[in-house]
Amino acid sequence: MSFATCDICDANEDKIATHELAVIPPIFLRYGAHIKFSGQAVTLKVFEDNVLVRETLETPGNGHVLVIDGGGSFRCALVGGNLAALAEKNGWAGIIVHGCIRDVDEINACNIGVRAMGPMPLRAAKHGGGMRDARINVAGVAIKPGDWIYADADGVLVARQALV
């Protein structure tokens, strides 16, 4: 995987102006063994409920990135060590959580990239609510299924098409 988000931004200033490329504000902390990851987005919209997260991560990831709009809630974790291990096993490149995670040490041992707003030891509810493959909004950035996600130590980008 050979890319740098800074270089992508520099080479695509025209796409930033037209919103074909967006930079998610720096609200995420880095977790998982992979600092750098990329892939097409699979989107979820959930709120303090992670049944749909598990169901999605149980499917083949095929190098995609699961982007979870958890409403930015700090009240519970949407992803923990078991789900990160499931993501690794099923070939997901990474997970971005607009919300919290737990089991940080376990997640850091997984060979995937994870971005989240922070850790929270309280687990999510198990009611089964939410939507998959929806257009979501993470920190003011619209993300659609199939958009390209590029994440490294400098930040997270969302592109309407593959850029590298």
Side-chain angles (χ1 to χ4, degrees), residues 84-163:
L86 188 61
E88 177 185 12
K89 174 184 164 220
N90 288 326
W92 291 85
I95 304 170
I96 296 175
V97 184
H98 188 216
C100 294
I101 62 164
R102 66 189 225 158
D103 304 319
V104 170
D105 291 338
E106 293 175 34
I107 289 174
N108 286 341
C110 291
N111 286 315
I112 61 169
V114 177
R115 299 292 186 277
M117 296 173 66
M120 163 54 84
L122 185 63
R123 69 179 175 191
K126 309 277 190 241
H127 301 295
M131 295 184 297
R132 182 177 169 157
D133 296 325
R135 181 183 171 123
I136 60 175
N137 189 299
V138 173
V141 175
I143 304 170
K144 299 180 303 200
D147 283 350
W148 284 84
I149 306 296
Y150 299 95
D152 67 8
D154 288 308
V156 180
L157 306 179
V158 179
R160 301 293 171 235
Q161 62 188 21
L163 296 177

Side-chain angles (χ1 to χ4, degrees), residues 13-58:
E13 290 178 351
D14 59 323
K15 289 179 176 52
I16 293 171
T18 62
H19 305 288
E20 295 172 73
L21 174 64
V23 181
I24 295 180
I27 61 170
F28 296 119
L29 300 173
R30 292 188 312 260
Y31 303 96
H34 293 178
I35 292 174
K36 182 183 287 194
F37 61 94
S38 66
Q40 285 187 278
V42 172
T43 61
L44 296 180
K45 185 170 182 65
V46 299
F47 189 73
E48 299 179 0
D49 185 324
N50 72 349
V51 170
L52 192 55
V53 176
R54 174 175 286 282
E55 289 174 0
T56 302
L57 292 173
E58 287 174 340

